[in-house]
Amino acid sequence: MRTQLLPLPLILAVLTAGSTTAQTTTEAYRLEPSDQPAPGDSVFSLSLAMDGDRAIVSDTIRGAWIYEVSSNTELVRLDAQGEPNEGFGYSVALDGNRAVVGMPGYDGPVNGGDFGCAWVFDTSSGDLLAQLQANGSLINDRQGNAVA
């Protein structure tokens, strides 16, 4: 049996398929944020990563959420950092009790600089542990475009 992940506005559905045709696809899990925004305010499931039975799902504005997939339980919300247009959650990674969230549009000290960075969070508490940005970053480096 193969598992497919399909992003949907405001909802992330984890689908189980017996074959590759849509007719045999059934929804196995549905992950929804506890604080649904108004339609059009943000896009839930911008980026997704899984580690075992846990998933991190990001949003375009509000943050990222850690879920226990099998029980459809929201474990913790990671609050967005920076400005809404800087791309918090563009990329995400999950490993053990750490999550990394990329933000390639982070301006840093220069408005419009797009230096980019990544944020490290504790997945149990949601605490922000670190901001990662290379020394000597240049405008348009867009660090955090991909994280792993």
Side-chain angles (χ1 to χ4, degrees):
M1 190 173 293
R2 194 173 98 201
T3 300
Q4 298 176 354
L5 303 176
L6 299 178
L8 303 172
L10 307 179
I11 297 172
L12 174 76
V14 180
L15 305 175
T16 304
S19 73
T20 58
T21 62
Q23 293 85 357
T24 60
T25 302
T26 57
E27 183 175 291
Y29 305 101
R30 180 175 291 255
L31 306 177
E32 301 178 77
S34 58
D35 57 340
Q36 290 273 353
D41 281 353
S42 64
V43 178
F44 185 67
S45 72
L46 170 68
S47 191
L48 166 98
M50 292 187 74
D51 180 29
D53 188 38
R54 292 179 319 128
I56 180 172
V57 184
S58 69
D59 179 296
T60 56
I61 295 172
R62 299 173 305 137
W65 291 259
I66 307 290
Y67 291 92
E68 182 180 76
V69 176
S70 62
S71 67
N72 190 27
T73 302
E74 184 180 306
L75 301 175
V76 67
R77 176 179 168 180
L78 310 176
D79 292 327
Q81 305 296 308
E83 299 297 321
N85 63 345
E86 292 182 323
F88 181 87
Y90 187 83
S91 57
V92 294
L94 185 62
D95 185 27
N97 63 347
R98 297 290 187 260
V100 179
V101 180
M103 188 173 183
Y106 178 71
D107 289 337
V110 178
N111 189 24
D114 288 348
F115 293 93
C117 69
W119 306 90
V120 180
F121 293 89
D122 181 288
T123 61
S124 300
S125 65
D127 291 341
L128 176 61
L129 301 176
Q131 175 190 3
L132 306 177
Q133 188 174 33
N135 288 332
S137 295
L138 300 175
I139 291 176
N140 293 321
D141 272 356
R142 299 192 56 78
Q143 297 170 46
N145 194 48
V147 297

